[in-house]
Every structure is written in structure tokens, then in C-alpha cells.
Amino acid sequence: MKALRYHGARDVRVETVPDPQLADARDMIVKVTACAICGSDLHLYDGLIPTLQKGDVLGHEFMGEVLEVGREVRDVQKGDRVVVPFNIGCGDCFFCKRQLWSLCDRSNPNAALATKQFGAAPAGLFGYSHMFGGYPGGQAEYVRVPFADINHFKVETDLSDEQVLFIGDIFATGFMAVDVCDVQEGDVVAVWGCGPVGLFALKSAHMLGAKRVIAIDRFPERLELARTKCDATPIDYEKSDVIEVLKELTSGRGPDICIDAVGMEAHGHGLEFWYDRVKQAVGLQADRPTALRQAVMACRKGGTVSVPGVYGGPIDHFPFGAAFNKGLTLKMGQTHTHRYAPALLQRIAAGEIDPSFIITHRLHLEEAPKGYDIFQHKKEGCIKVVLRP
């Protein structure tokens, strides 16, 4: 089959690899009909995630048709149309039983690697390095999916692939980022980063009852999409003092909820940004937390900072004293996709939202390297790339 493989920083290639085979009686094989490039894939593309190896198949946002199932699979059968969650649950461990699916204790066969890095191992992820299980990813023609009865969401309506694909990752991620903040009537929600996750966080904030949503970015096309499709107040951080503008918009208090939808490769300006960039380039710091620092400083006293943006290691100059003395609540982590996807599918079917509004580029799988370059460098107003085998 054809699949996108990693060959080094900013070097990905579509190559022929062996077709996946059932490795366990609980597996299924999915024929991919649509997949996407996620913002967190760019961290892999930039070579920032350890334990990624040459030849690894990338991609964790995909859906398709069930081609084959193992003898112990009961809840899905050949021919079913399914969206696959990006993180892999077993359904039976301490964490899965508590709906903490991204923390599954049994789906990461390389748990020791992750434990060394994080103190404990999260769930396995498709196409996201050996520290997260080493599973071949979904930017391919076929994918082996373990624990098949658990790791699928059936699509039994005539909704298009583009409408439902994102419940397996970015829509669920943006929604959870807001949901964990316990939005109250009258709340103001500010979101740093108007990429796909940020846009879905803005939409989700409205769904969950926020009075006002504020979008912070520097790309005009993203801020315009946030304004027109998410009913957000835009702030260009290159033209404004973000914290001062947020105070003006919130009677001097700051937003009730601040969401960092940027993560470890945040852009910025000034001495602190270049300090982070140099330290990251020479390996002295894993992440650039520009947006996170600003979210903590901007959030009102007693407010909540939510972090759906991906972080992978230590960060420097984090204003923990501000978080402590303002009494902030911090929420973060990989998305518990299985908890949210079914309800989001219902919202889509009811016409409450059409997630395809974020798609700007549609390419064939063979064009995936071009897609990564466009997405990485924000060329052609790129916000989201969908690939089809």
C-alpha cells in the first residue's frame, strides 16, 4: 500500500509499504477514505518529538471502511463506515472505565519509554512516535486498529467524510478544551491560536453557553474565519497588546477562561520569544510556551486556563507564581475522544455545526508532502488539509 513515512525533520515521503495484517483477534483493518494533517503532526514534521524513527508511518486523524475484523470482534463488521479516534483505548483498564481514555494503561506497548519522559505513560496514539506505542498511522491506504470494538465510531447516516472526520480528533479536542472549564452563563472565553483546534474551541464555547468569545492570532485569514464562522472578536497579537485589549473587553478583569490552542511551537515577538527559540533550537528547552505564558497572565483571578495545545517537555520562565496567586485552575491533557465523539456526531447530524468549514485544501495522499509544506508555512491561507488515498 501507499503510506506517508518520516525520513527526518521536514522530510516526509509517500512510499510503498507492506499492507497491515491482523495481529490480534481484537484487531480490525480499515480502508482509509479520508485522513487529515493535524497541527500536532507538524511537531513530528519539525523533528521535535523524540523516538520518532525513519520509516515510521504518520497520521492520526482518519476514517474509512472496515475491511477485515479479528475473530473476537463483536461490535463492528466488514463494510461498516467508521471514524477512528486518534488515541487508543482498551475499554477495560482503570482509566478507560473512568472515561479517561487518553490515559489508557494497556494500549501503549512502549509504556516504559513514555514513563521515563513523563513519569507515567499515556495511551497509545496512531502515527505519533514509539514513545506513544509505535503504531503505524492513518496517512495511508489501510490501517490496523487494535481493540476494534472500542476504537471506532460508526457513521450510519449520509453525512460526508468531511463532516464527520474531525470527531476523531480536532473537533473533540476543541470541545473538551472548553467543556472541562465548566462554562457559566456570562463567561468570556479567549482562545490563543485560530488553527483548527482553536476554531473548534471558539465554536464549542458558544455551544456550551459562553457570552463572548475572543480569538487571538496573527494571520488575517484565520482571524476572519474566527469572526465570520465563530462569531468571535479578533485580536491580532502583532498589532495589539493582547493583555491590555483583553482587559478593555472584560471591564478590567480578564477573560474567565483562557485556552492555549497553540502548544509547543508558539510564535511571538520580543526578547522572550527569541530566548525560547534559541533554547529550543539547541536542545536546552523542548517547548516554546509563549501563548501559555500570556494566557496565564491574562486570565482573571479565579479563572481557568485550559491547554489543548500539545507540549512534550520542560518549559522555562513559566509564570507559576501568577497562576498560584491569582488562584487559577489549570486543565490540560490529551483528549478523551471516546467520551465526546458520539455526542458531537449527534450535533453534526442535527445540523448544529458543519465541521467542514475549516477545510481549505483537499489533496490526494500522493501530495501529502506538499500538504505538510503548505500547512507548516501557512501558504495559500492554509488552515486544514484533508487527504484522500
Side-chain angles (χ1 to χ4, degrees):
M1 69 170 184
K2 296 293 186 182
L4 185 76
R5 304 174 80 189
Y6 178 82
H7 282 271
R10 303 201 177 185
D11 182 3
V12 294
R13 308 172 196 173
V14 176
E15 298 176 330
T16 301
V17 302
D19 290 351
Q21 304 295 321
L22 297 175
D24 185 276
R26 296 166 291 179
D27 289 352
M28 68 177 172
I29 304 297
V30 172
K31 179 182 179 180
V32 176
T33 57
C35 56
I37 302 173
C38 182
S40 59
D41 285 328
L42 298 181
H43 306 321
L44 298 169
Y45 185 61
D46 281 339
L48 297 176
I49 304 298
T51 74
L52 187 63
Q53 297 177 9
K54 182 178 180 180
D56 285 349
V57 177
L58 302 181
H60 57 266
E61 196 167 33
F62 64 97
M63 65 175 294
E65 178 185 336
V66 177
L67 190 68
E68 186 179 1
V69 298
R71 66 179 183 276
E72 294 182 16
V73 175
R74 298 290 180 265
D75 295 338
V76 66
Q77 60 186 353
K78 183 178 178 179
D80 283 347
R81 185 173 172 228
V82 297
V83 177
V84 178
F86 77 94
N87 39 21
I88 302 165
C90 74
D92 198 44
C93 72
F94 175 92
F95 296 98
C96 288
K97 286 182 175 179
R98 287 160 178 78
Q99 295 289 301
L100 302 172
W101 297 93
S102 70
L103 306 176
C104 177
D105 251 348
R106 296 180 180 172
S107 64
N108 188 345
N110 298 328
L113 287 174
T115 299
K116 184 177 180 180
Q117 176 80 0
F118 305 129
L125 309 180
F126 290 101
Y128 216 80
S129 86
H130 291 262
M131 183 166 58
F132 292 97
Y135 292 96
Q139 290 163 5
E141 293 180 309
Y142 302 93
V143 183
R144 179 181 75 89
V145 178
F147 302 108
D149 282 337
I150 302 300
N151 297 302
H152 75 272
F153 311 114
K154 286 184 187 177
V155 182
E156 299 176 306
T157 69
D158 59 359
L159 293 168
S160 70
D161 284 3
E162 291 185 354
Q163 288 176 292
V164 300
L165 173 61
F166 305 132
I167 67 169
D169 184 2
I170 53 173
F171 186 12
T173 297
F175 192 91
M176 176 175 147
V178 182
D179 183 62
V180 297
C181 298
D182 189 23
V183 178
Q184 301 296 307
E185 184 178 351
D187 276 355
V188 175
V189 178
V191 178
W192 276 255
C194 295
V197 169
L199 291 168
F200 281 128
L202 292 166
K203 293 286 281 188
S204 299
H206 280 304
M207 291 179 187
L208 292 170
K211 177 182 178 181
R212 186 176 196 174
V213 297
I214 301 169
I216 301 154
D217 206 299
R218 66 189 172 108
F219 292 99
E221 63 274 12
R222 295 186 172 210
L223 289 169
E224 180 64 11
L225 197 60
R227 185 185 68 82
T228 58
K229 295 294 186 179
C230 305
D231 193 23
T233 301
I235 300 176
D236 183 337
Y237 68 77
E238 289 194 328
K239 297 179 179 178
S240 304
D241 183 323
V242 172
I243 293 178
E244 287 304 312
V245 174
L246 289 172
K247 286 181 179 179
E248 291 172 7
L249 295 173
T250 57
S251 302
R253 289 189 301 271
D256 305 281
I257 295 168
C258 292
I259 296 175
D260 170 10
V262 181
M264 65 190 292
E265 291 188 84
H267 188 269
H269 48 77
L271 181 61
E272 191 168 59
F273 168 69
W274 288 106
Y275 170 86
D276 285 336
R277 189 154 192 168
V278 170
K279 288 195 72 174
Q280 189 179 54
V282 299
L284 294 177
Q285 177 173 296
D287 306 340
R288 300 197 305 265
T290 308
L292 180 57
R293 290 192 193 110
Q294 200 169 77
V296 168
M297 296 305 294
C299 194
R300 72 155 170 85
K301 293 183 289 185
T304 301
V305 174
S306 177
V307 189
V310 172
Y311 286 87
I315 56 178
D316 201 359
H317 288 191
F318 180 73
F320 199 83
F324 175 83
N325 285 289
K326 291 202 291 182
L328 301 183
T329 297
L330 305 182
K331 298 282 190 175
M332 65 194 76
Q334 297 282 4
T335 308
H336 304 308
T337 315
H338 304 63
R339 184 197 300 177
Y340 292 99
L344 297 181
L345 185 57
Q346 291 178 0
R347 288 179 182 264
I348 297 167
E352 188 173 347
I353 181 174
D354 180 353
S356 65
F357 80 92
I358 67 167
I359 301 170
T360 54
H361 290 71
R362 296 165 173 89
L363 302 175
H364 191 274
L365 178 63
E366 295 278 1
E367 300 176 281
K370 173 186 174 182
Y372 269 81
D373 179 66
I374 291 171
F375 194 22
Q376 169 67 29
H377 295 101
K378 311 295 188 295
K379 297 177 180 177
E380 303 171 10
C382 183
I383 293 174
K384 187 66 175 180
V385 179
V386 169
L387 306 169
R388 289 191 179 273

Coordinates of all heavy atoms in Angstrom, one line a residue, residues 39-114:
G39 N -2.4 19.8 13.3 CA -1.4 20.7 13.7 C -0.3 20.0 14.6 O 0.9 20.4 14.5
S40 N -0.7 19.0 15.4 CA 0.3 18.3 16.2 C 1.2 17.4 15.3 O 2.3 17.1 15.7 CB -0.3 17.5 17.2 OG -1.2 16.5 16.7
D41 N 0.8 17.1 14.1 CA 1.7 16.4 13.1 C 2.9 17.3 12.8 O 4.0 16.8 12.4 CB 1.0 16.0 11.9 CG 0.0 14.8 12.0 OD1 0.3 14.0 12.8 OD2 -1.0 14.8 11.3
L42 N 2.7 18.6 12.8 CA 3.8 19.5 12.5 C 5.0 19.4 13.5 O 6.1 19.7 13.2 CB 3.3 20.9 12.4 CG 2.3 21.1 11.3 CD1 1.8 22.6 11.2 CD2 2.8 20.7 9.9
H43 N 4.6 19.0 14.8 CA 5.7 18.9 15.7 C 6.6 17.7 15.3 O 7.8 17.7 15.5 CB 5.1 18.6 17.1 CG 4.2 19.7 17.6 ND1 4.4 21.0 17.3 CD2 3.0 19.6 18.3 CE1 3.4 21.7 17.9 NE2 2.5 20.8 18.4
L44 N 6.0 16.6 14.8 CA 6.7 15.5 14.3 C 7.5 15.9 13.0 O 8.7 15.6 12.9 CB 5.8 14.4 13.9 CG 4.9 13.7 15.0 CD1 3.9 12.8 14.3 CD2 5.8 12.9 15.9
Y45 N 6.9 16.6 12.2 CA 7.5 17.1 10.9 C 8.7 18.0 11.2 O 9.7 17.9 10.5 CB 6.5 17.9 10.2 CG 6.8 18.4 8.8 CD1 7.2 17.6 7.8 CD2 6.8 19.8 8.5 CE1 7.5 18.0 6.5 CE2 7.1 20.3 7.2 CZ 7.5 19.4 6.2 OH 7.8 19.8 5.0
D46 N 8.7 18.7 12.3 CA 9.8 19.6 12.7 C 10.9 18.8 13.4 O 11.9 19.4 13.8 CB 9.3 20.8 13.5 CG 8.7 21.9 12.6 OD1 9.0 21.9 11.4 OD2 8.0 22.7 13.2
G47 N 10.7 17.5 13.7 CA 11.6 16.7 14.4 C 11.7 17.0 15.9 O 12.8 16.7 16.5
L48 N 10.6 17.5 16.5 CA 10.6 17.9 17.9 C 10.1 16.8 18.9 O 10.2 16.9 20.1 CB 9.8 19.1 18.1 CG 10.3 20.4 17.4 CD1 9.3 21.5 17.6 CD2 11.7 20.8 17.9
I49 N 9.6 15.7 18.3 CA 9.1 14.6 19.2 C 10.1 13.5 19.2 O 10.4 12.9 18.2 CB 7.7 14.1 18.7 CG1 6.7 15.2 18.6 CG2 7.2 13.0 19.6 CD1 6.4 15.9 19.9
P50 N 10.6 13.1 20.4 CA 11.6 12.1 20.5 C 11.0 10.7 20.2 O 9.8 10.5 20.3 CB 12.1 12.1 21.9 CG 11.0 12.8 22.7 CD 10.4 13.8 21.7
T51 N 11.9 9.8 19.8 CA 11.6 8.4 19.5 C 10.8 8.2 18.2 O 10.4 7.1 17.9 CB 10.8 7.6 20.6 OG1 9.4 8.1 20.7 CG2 11.4 7.9 22.0
L52 N 10.7 9.2 17.4 CA 10.2 9.0 16.0 C 11.3 8.5 15.2 O 12.4 9.0 15.3 CB 9.7 10.4 15.5 CG 9.0 10.3 14.1 CD1 7.7 9.5 14.2 CD2 8.7 11.7 13.6
Q53 N 11.1 7.5 14.4 CA 12.1 6.8 13.6 C 11.9 6.9 12.1 O 10.8 7.0 11.7 CB 12.2 5.3 14.0 CG 12.5 5.1 15.5 CD 12.5 3.7 15.9 OE1 12.5 2.8 15.1 NE2 12.7 3.4 17.2
K54 N 13.0 6.9 11.4 CA 13.0 6.9 10.0 C 12.1 5.7 9.5 O 12.3 4.6 9.9 CB 14.4 6.8 9.4 CG 14.4 6.9 7.9 CD 15.9 6.9 7.4 CE 15.9 6.9 5.8 NZ 17.3 6.9 5.3
G55 N 11.2 6.0 8.6 CA 10.3 5.0 8.1 C 9.0 4.9 8.8 O 8.1 4.2 8.3
D56 N 8.8 5.6 9.9 CA 7.5 5.5 10.6 C 6.4 6.1 9.7 O 6.6 7.2 9.1 CB 7.6 6.2 11.9 CG 8.3 5.5 13.0 OD1 8.6 4.3 12.8 OD2 8.6 6.1 14.1
V57 N 5.2 5.5 9.8 CA 4.1 6.0 9.0 C 3.3 7.0 9.9 O 3.0 6.7 11.1 CB 3.1 4.8 8.6 CG1 1.9 5.4 7.9 CG2 3.9 3.9 7.7
L58 N 3.1 8.2 9.4 CA 2.5 9.2 10.1 C 0.9 9.3 10.0 O 0.3 8.6 9.2 CB 3.0 10.6 9.7 CG 4.6 10.7 9.8 CD1 5.0 12.1 9.4 CD2 5.1 10.5 11.2
G59 N 0.3 10.1 10.8 CA -1.1 10.4 10.7 C -2.0 9.8 11.8 O -1.8 8.6 12.1
H60 N -2.8 10.6 12.4 CA -3.7 10.0 13.5 C -5.1 10.5 13.3 O -5.9 10.2 14.2 CB -3.1 10.4 14.8 CG -3.0 11.9 15.1 ND1 -1.8 12.5 14.8 CD2 -3.8 12.8 15.5 CE1 -1.9 13.8 15.1 NE2 -3.2 14.0 15.5
E61 N -5.5 11.2 12.2 CA -6.8 11.7 12.0 C -7.3 11.0 10.7 O -7.0 11.5 9.7 CB -6.7 13.2 11.9 CG -8.1 13.9 12.1 CD -7.9 15.4 12.3 OE1 -6.9 16.0 11.7 OE2 -8.7 16.0 13.0
F62 N -8.2 10.0 10.9 CA -8.6 9.2 9.7 C -9.9 8.5 9.9 O -10.3 8.3 11.1 CB -7.5 8.2 9.3 CG -7.2 7.1 10.3 CD1 -7.8 5.9 10.1 CD2 -6.3 7.3 11.4 CE1 -7.5 4.9 11.0 CE2 -6.1 6.3 12.3 CZ -6.7 5.1 12.1
M63 N -10.5 8.1 8.8 CA -11.7 7.3 8.9 C -11.8 6.4 7.6 O -10.9 6.6 6.7 CB -12.9 8.2 8.9 CG -13.1 9.1 7.7 SD -14.7 10.0 7.7 CE -15.9 8.7 7.6
G64 N -12.7 5.5 7.6 CA -12.8 4.7 6.4 C -13.8 3.6 6.6 O -14.7 3.6 7.4
E65 N -13.6 2.5 5.7 CA -14.5 1.4 5.7 C -13.8 0.2 6.3 O -12.6 -0.1 6.0 CB -14.9 1.1 4.2 CG -15.7 -0.1 4.0 CD -16.0 -0.4 2.6 OE1 -15.9 0.5 1.8 OE2 -16.3 -1.6 2.3
V66 N -14.5 -0.6 7.1 CA -13.9 -1.8 7.7 C -13.7 -2.8 6.7 O -14.7 -3.2 6.0 CB -14.8 -2.3 8.9 CG1 -14.2 -3.6 9.5 CG2 -14.9 -1.2 10.0
L67 N -12.5 -3.3 6.5 CA -12.1 -4.3 5.5 C -12.1 -5.7 6.1 O -12.5 -6.7 5.4 CB -10.8 -3.9 4.9 CG -10.4 -4.7 3.6 CD1 -11.3 -4.3 2.5 CD2 -8.9 -4.3 3.3
E68 N -11.6 -5.8 7.3 CA -11.4 -7.1 7.9 C -11.5 -7.0 9.4 O -11.0 -6.0 10.0 CB -10.1 -7.7 7.5 CG -9.8 -9.1 7.9 CD -8.4 -9.6 7.4 OE1 -7.7 -8.8 6.8 OE2 -8.1 -10.8 7.7
V69 N -12.0 -8.0 10.1 CA -12.0 -8.0 11.6 C -11.5 -9.3 12.2 O -11.6 -10.3 11.5 CB -13.5 -7.7 12.1 CG1 -14.0 -6.4 11.7 CG2 -14.4 -8.8 11.7
G70 N -10.9 -9.2 13.4 CA -10.5 -10.4 14.1 C -11.6 -11.2 14.6 O -12.8 -10.7 14.8
R71 N -11.3 -12.4 15.0 CA -12.4 -13.4 15.4 C -13.1 -13.0 16.7 O -14.2 -13.5 16.9 CB -11.8 -14.8 15.5 CG -10.8 -15.0 16.6 CD -10.3 -16.4 16.6 NE -9.4 -16.7 17.7 CZ -8.1 -16.4 17.6 NH1 -7.6 -15.9 16.5 NH2 -7.3 -16.6 18.7
E72 N -12.5 -12.1 17.5 CA -13.1 -11.8 18.8 C -13.8 -10.4 18.7 O -14.4 -9.9 19.7 CB -12.1 -11.7 19.9 CG -11.5 -13.1 20.2 CD -10.5 -13.1 21.4 OE1 -10.5 -12.0 22.1 OE2 -9.7 -14.0 21.5
V73 N -13.8 -9.8 17.5 CA -14.5 -8.5 17.4 C -16.0 -8.7 17.2 O -16.5 -9.6 16.5 CB -14.0 -7.8 16.1 CG1 -14.7 -6.5 15.9 CG2 -12.5 -7.5 16.3
R74 N -16.8 -8.0 18.0 CA -18.3 -8.2 18.0 C -19.1 -7.0 17.6 O -20.2 -7.1 17.0 CB -18.7 -8.5 19.5 CG -18.1 -9.8 20.0 CD -18.6 -11.0 19.3 NE -18.0 -12.3 19.9 CZ -17.0 -12.9 19.3 NH1 -16.5 -12.4 18.2 NH2 -16.5 -14.0 19.8
D75 N -18.6 -5.8 17.8 CA -19.4 -4.6 17.6 C -19.2 -3.9 16.3 O -19.8 -2.8 16.0 CB -19.1 -3.6 18.7 CG -19.5 -4.1 20.1 OD1 -20.4 -5.0 20.1 OD2 -19.0 -3.6 21.1
V76 N -18.4 -4.4 15.4 CA -18.1 -3.8 14.1 C -17.9 -4.9 13.1 O -17.4 -6.0 13.5 CB -16.9 -2.8 14.2 CG1 -15.6 -3.6 14.4 CG2 -16.8 -2.0 12.9
Q77 N -18.3 -4.7 11.9 CA -18.2 -5.8 10.9 C -17.7 -5.2 9.6 O -17.8 -4.0 9.3 CB -19.5 -6.5 10.7 CG -20.6 -5.7 10.3 CD -21.9 -6.4 10.2 OE1 -22.0 -7.7 10.4 NE2 -23.0 -5.7 10.0
K78 N -17.3 -6.1 8.7 CA -16.8 -5.7 7.4 C -17.9 -4.8 6.7 O -19.1 -5.2 6.7 CB -16.5 -6.9 6.5 CG -16.0 -6.6 5.1 CD -15.6 -7.9 4.4 CE -15.1 -7.5 3.0 NZ -14.7 -8.8 2.2
G79 N -17.4 -3.7 6.1 CA -18.3 -2.8 5.4 C -18.8 -1.7 6.2 O -19.3 -0.7 5.6
D80 N -18.7 -1.7 7.5 CA -19.1 -0.6 8.3 C -18.2 0.7 8.0 O -17.0 0.6 7.8 CB -19.0 -0.9 9.8 CG -20.1 -1.8 10.4 OD1 -21.1 -1.9 9.6 OD2 -19.9 -2.3 11.5
R81 N -18.9 1.8 8.1 CA -18.2 3.1 7.9 C -17.9 3.6 9.3 O -18.8 3.8 10.1 CB -19.1 4.0 7.1 CG -18.5 5.4 6.7 CD -19.4 6.1 5.8 NE -19.0 7.5 5.6 CZ -19.7 8.5 5.7 NH1 -21.0 8.4 6.0 NH2 -19.3 9.7 5.4
V82 N -16.6 3.9 9.5 CA -16.2 4.3 10.9 C -15.2 5.5 10.9 O -14.4 5.6 10.0 CB -15.5 3.1 11.6 CG1 -16.5 2.0 11.8 CG2 -14.3 2.6 10.9
V83 N -15.3 6.3 11.9 CA -14.2 7.2 12.3 C -13.4 6.6 13.4 O -14.0 6.0 14.3 CB -14.8 8.6 12.8 CG1 -13.7 9.5 13.2 CG2 -15.7 9.2 11.7
V84 N -12.1 6.7 13.3 CA -11.2 6.1 14.3 C -10.7 7.2 15.2 O -10.1 8.2 14.7 CB -10.1 5.3 13.7 CG1 -9.2 4.7 14.7 CG2 -10.7 4.2 12.8
P85 N -10.8 7.1 16.6 CA -10.1 8.1 17.4 C -8.6 8.0 17.3 O -8.0 7.0 17.1 CB -10.6 7.6 18.8 CG -10.8 6.1 18.7 CD -11.4 5.9 17.3
F86 N -8.0 9.2 17.5 CA -6.6 9.3 17.4 C -5.8 8.5 18.5 O -4.7 8.0 18.3 CB -6.1 10.7 17.3 CG -6.1 11.5 18.6 CD1 -4.9 11.5 19.4 CD2 -7.2 12.1 19.1 CE1 -4.9 12.2 20.6 CE2 -7.2 12.8 20.3 CZ -6.0 12.9 21.0
N87 N -6.5 8.5 19.7 CA -5.8 7.7 20.8 C -6.5 6.4 21.0 O -7.7 6.2 20.7 CB -5.8 8.6 22.1 CG -7.1 9.3 22.3 OD1 -8.1 9.0 21.7 ND2 -7.0 10.4 23.1
I88 N -5.8 5.4 21.5 CA -6.3 4.1 21.5 C -6.6 3.6 22.9 O -5.8 3.7 23.8 CB -5.2 3.1 20.9 CG1 -4.8 3.6 19.5 CG2 -5.6 1.7 20.9 CD1 -3.5 3.0 19.0
G89 N -7.8 3.2 23.1 CA -8.3 2.7 24.4 C -8.5 1.2 24.4 O -8.7 0.6 23.4
C90 N -8.4 0.6 25.6 CA -8.7 -0.8 25.7 C -10.1 -1.1 26.2 O -10.7 -2.1 25.9 CB -7.7 -1.5 26.7 SG -8.0 -1.1 28.4
G91 N -10.7 -0.1 26.9 CA -12.1 -0.2 27.4 C -12.2 -0.9 28.7 O -13.3 -0.9 29.2
D92 N -11.1 -1.4 29.3 CA -11.3 -2.2 30.5 C -10.3 -1.9 31.6 O -10.5 -2.4 32.7 CB -11.1 -3.7 30.1 CG -11.6 -4.7 31.1 OD1 -12.8 -4.4 31.6 OD2 -10.9 -5.6 31.5
C93 N -9.4 -1.0 31.4 CA -8.5 -0.6 32.5 C -9.0 0.4 33.4 O -10.1 0.9 33.2 CB -7.1 -0.1 31.8 SG -7.3 1.5 31.1
F94 N -8.3 0.7 34.5 CA -8.7 1.7 35.5 C -9.1 3.0 34.8 O -10.2 3.6 35.2 CB -7.5 1.9 36.4 CG -7.7 3.0 37.5 CD1 -8.3 2.6 38.7 CD2 -7.4 4.3 37.2 CE1 -8.4 3.6 39.7 CE2 -7.6 5.3 38.2 CZ -8.1 4.9 39.4
F95 N -8.4 3.5 33.9 CA -8.6 4.8 33.3 C -9.7 4.8 32.3 O -10.6 5.7 32.3 CB -7.3 5.3 32.7 CG -6.3 5.6 33.7 CD1 -5.2 4.6 33.9 CD2 -6.3 6.7 34.5 CE1 -4.3 4.8 34.9 CE2 -5.3 6.9 35.5 CZ -4.3 6.0 35.7
C96 N -9.8 3.8 31.4 CA -10.9 3.7 30.4 C -12.2 3.6 31.1 O -13.2 4.2 30.7 CB -10.7 2.5 29.5 SG -9.3 2.7 28.3
K97 N -12.3 2.8 32.2 CA -13.6 2.7 32.9 C -14.0 4.0 33.6 O -15.2 4.2 33.9 CB -13.4 1.6 34.0 CG -13.4 0.2 33.4 CD -13.3 -0.8 34.5 CE -13.4 -2.3 34.0 NZ -13.3 -3.3 35.0
R98 N -13.1 4.9 33.8 CA -13.4 6.3 34.3 C -13.5 7.3 33.2 O -13.5 8.5 33.5 CB -12.4 6.6 35.4 CG -12.5 5.8 36.7 CD -11.3 5.8 37.5 NE -11.5 5.1 38.8 CZ -11.6 3.8 38.9 NH1 -11.4 3.0 37.8 NH2 -11.8 3.2 40.0
Q99 N -13.6 6.9 32.0 CA -13.8 7.8 30.8 C -12.5 8.7 30.6 O -12.6 9.7 29.9 CB -15.0 8.7 31.0 CG -16.3 7.9 31.0 CD -16.7 7.4 29.6 OE1 -16.8 8.2 28.6 NE2 -16.8 6.1 29.5
L100 N -11.4 8.2 31.1 CA -10.1 8.9 30.9 C -9.3 8.2 29.8 O -8.3 7.7 30.0 CB -9.3 9.0 32.2 CG -10.0 9.7 33.4 CD1 -9.2 9.5 34.7 CD2 -10.3 11.1 33.1
W101 N -9.9 8.2 28.6 CA -9.5 7.3 27.6 C -8.1 7.6 27.1 O -7.3 6.7 26.7 CB -10.4 7.5 26.4 CG -11.8 7.0 26.7 CD1 -12.9 7.8 27.1 CD2 -12.3 5.7 26.6 NE1 -14.0 7.0 27.3 CE2 -13.7 5.7 27.0 CE3 -11.8 4.5 26.2 CZ2 -14.5 4.6 27.0 CZ3 -12.6 3.3 26.3 CH2 -13.9 3.4 26.7
S102 N -7.6 8.8 27.1 CA -6.3 9.2 26.6 C -5.2 8.7 27.6 O -4.0 8.8 27.3 CB -6.1 10.7 26.4 OG -6.1 11.4 27.6
L103 N -5.6 8.2 28.7 CA -4.6 7.7 29.7 C -4.7 6.2 29.8 O -4.2 5.6 30.8 CB -5.0 8.3 31.1 CG -5.1 9.8 31.1 CD1 -5.5 10.3 32.5 CD2 -3.7 10.4 30.7
C104 N -5.2 5.5 28.9 CA -5.4 4.0 28.9 C -4.1 3.4 29.3 O -3.0 3.7 28.8 CB -5.8 3.5 27.5 SG -5.9 1.7 27.4
D105 N -4.2 2.4 30.2 CA -3.0 1.7 30.7 C -2.5 0.5 29.9 O -1.5 0.0 30.1 CB -3.3 1.2 32.1 CG -2.6 1.9 33.2 OD1 -1.7 2.7 32.9 OD2 -2.9 1.8 34.4
R106 N -3.3 0.1 28.9 CA -3.0 -1.1 28.1 C -2.7 -0.9 26.7 O -2.2 -1.9 26.0 CB -4.1 -2.1 28.3 CG -4.4 -2.5 29.7 CD -5.6 -3.5 29.8 NE -5.8 -3.9 31.2 CZ -6.8 -4.6 31.6 NH1 -7.7 -5.0 30.7 NH2 -7.0 -5.0 32.9
S107 N -2.9 0.2 26.1 CA -2.7 0.4 24.7 C -1.4 0.8 24.2 O -1.1 0.9 23.0 CB -3.8 1.3 24.1 OG -3.6 2.6 24.7
N108 N -0.5 1.2 25.2 CA 0.8 1.6 24.8 C 1.9 0.6 25.1 O 2.3 0.4 26.3 CB 1.2 2.9 25.5 CG 2.5 3.6 25.0 OD1 3.3 2.9 24.3 ND2 2.7 4.8 25.4
P109 N 2.3 -0.2 24.1 CA 3.3 -1.3 24.3 C 4.7 -0.8 24.7 O 5.5 -1.5 25.2 CB 3.3 -2.0 23.0 CG 2.9 -1.0 22.0 CD 1.9 -0.1 22.7
N110 N 4.9 0.5 24.5 CA 6.2 1.1 24.9 C 6.1 2.0 26.1 O 6.7 3.1 26.1 CB 6.8 1.9 23.7 CG 7.0 1.0 22.5 OD1 7.4 -0.2 22.6 ND2 6.9 1.5 21.3
A111 N 5.3 1.6 27.0 CA 5.0 2.5 28.2 C 6.2 2.9 28.9 O 6.3 4.0 29.5 CB 4.0 1.8 29.1
A112 N 7.2 2.1 28.9 CA 8.5 2.4 29.7 C 9.1 3.6 29.1 O 9.7 4.4 29.9 CB 9.4 1.2 29.6
L113 N 9.1 3.8 27.8 CA 9.7 5.0 27.2 C 9.0 6.3 27.6 O 9.6 7.3 28.0 CB 9.6 4.9 25.6 CG 10.6 3.9 24.9 CD1 10.2 3.9 23.4 CD2 12.0 4.3 25.1
A114 N 7.6 6.2 27.6 CA 6.8 7.4 28.0 C 7.0 7.6 29.5 O 7.0 8.8 29.9 CB 5.4 7.1 27.6

